Amino acid sequence: MKSPPASPRGFFAIGIEGVSKAVNLGNLLRSAHAFGASFAFTIGADPRVMDTIADTSRASSHIPLYHWQSVEELRLPRGCRLVGIELLDEAVELPAFPHPLQAAYVLGPERGVLSAGVTARCHHLVRIPTAFSLNVATAGAIVMYDRLRSLGRFASRPVAGGSLPEPVTEHVQGGPRRRKRLI
């Protein structure tokens, strides 16, 4: 079995605003655990969801899960950028989005959109280029995969179909850098 590639630098979190289905939260937690999220969160979740999370990987035992009642309560680590995932005309399409090293991705609720309060707090708005909205847990998994693919150390994809990728070059640590002292 091949060992997994080195983790990308930085950290990320993923969350849902207004989640109302335990299965969706459970699926998102499982994917967050698998993709190496630092934490997960909810904003304004239906309280019944918290009692019946369908989390088959027990992700909440491995990554912190935070619950905030409102966007005003939301607290992120210093330097962490809030990235809203929503089908909005003004949003950047995911394949063209440069992921921040420190990011918290927030998805809109089932059968709804991100609230104006959450959208206003977002540093970036991103859309998955689809004809219509996806299941919230599926959308979250796509965003996490895109982050891993763009920030991880993977071989470049070959241009021609059926070609083999070039091997990843080994990272070489440079020597120490000496800095001039400012007087």
Side-chain angles (χ1 to χ4, degrees):
M1 179 184 219
K2 255 186 178 176
S3 61
S7 299
R9 291 184 173 196
F11 65 84
F12 78 94
I14 193 147
I16 307 175
E17 180 187 25
V19 65
S20 61
K21 294 181 177 142
V23 170
N24 284 337
L25 181 56
N27 285 339
L28 185 67
L29 289 174
R30 181 181 175 91
S31 294
H33 182 206
F35 281 110
S38 298
F39 65 95
F41 63 95
T42 65
I43 302 170
D46 183 323
R48 294 171 293 185
V49 170
M50 299 304 118
D51 296 334
T52 59
I53 296 174
D55 175 14
T56 58
S57 72
R58 301 188 194 281
S60 56
S61 300
H62 302 282
I63 61 173
L65 174 60
Y66 299 103
H67 306 290
W68 289 291
Q69 292 303 313
S70 68
V71 68
E72 292 77 28
E73 292 179 16
L74 175 66
R75 297 290 176 261
L76 296 174
R78 185 181 345 180
C80 186
R81 300 289 177 231
L82 189 60
V83 180
I85 310 299
E86 193 60 79
L87 284 174
L88 299 171
D89 290 338
E90 65 270 20
V92 175
E93 289 195 342
L94 182 61
F97 178 64
H99 292 268
L101 281 180
Q102 300 147 343
Y105 302 95
V106 61
L107 299 135
E110 305 98 338
R111 295 191 209 130
V113 296
L114 288 172
S115 69
V118 169
T119 302
R121 283 257 331 247
C122 288
H123 296 92
H124 307 281
L125 293 171
V126 175
R127 66 179 280 139
I128 299 170
T130 57
F132 47 85
S133 66
L134 299 171
N135 169 278
V136 68
T138 301
I142 290 169
V143 169
M144 290 183 282
Y145 172 79
D146 189 74
R147 178 186 174 84
L148 179 68
R149 180 76 180 110
S150 64
L151 293 179
R153 287 193 36 83
F154 295 96
S156 296
R157 285 193 173 148
V159 177
S163 300
L164 295 175
E166 294 179 20
V168 177
T169 56
E170 198 65 35
H171 176 74
V172 178
Q173 183 69 36
R177 296 179 68 179
R178 303 214 185 267
R179 294 185 180 148
K180 290 183 180 179
R181 268 195 173 165
L182 297 175
I183 300 176

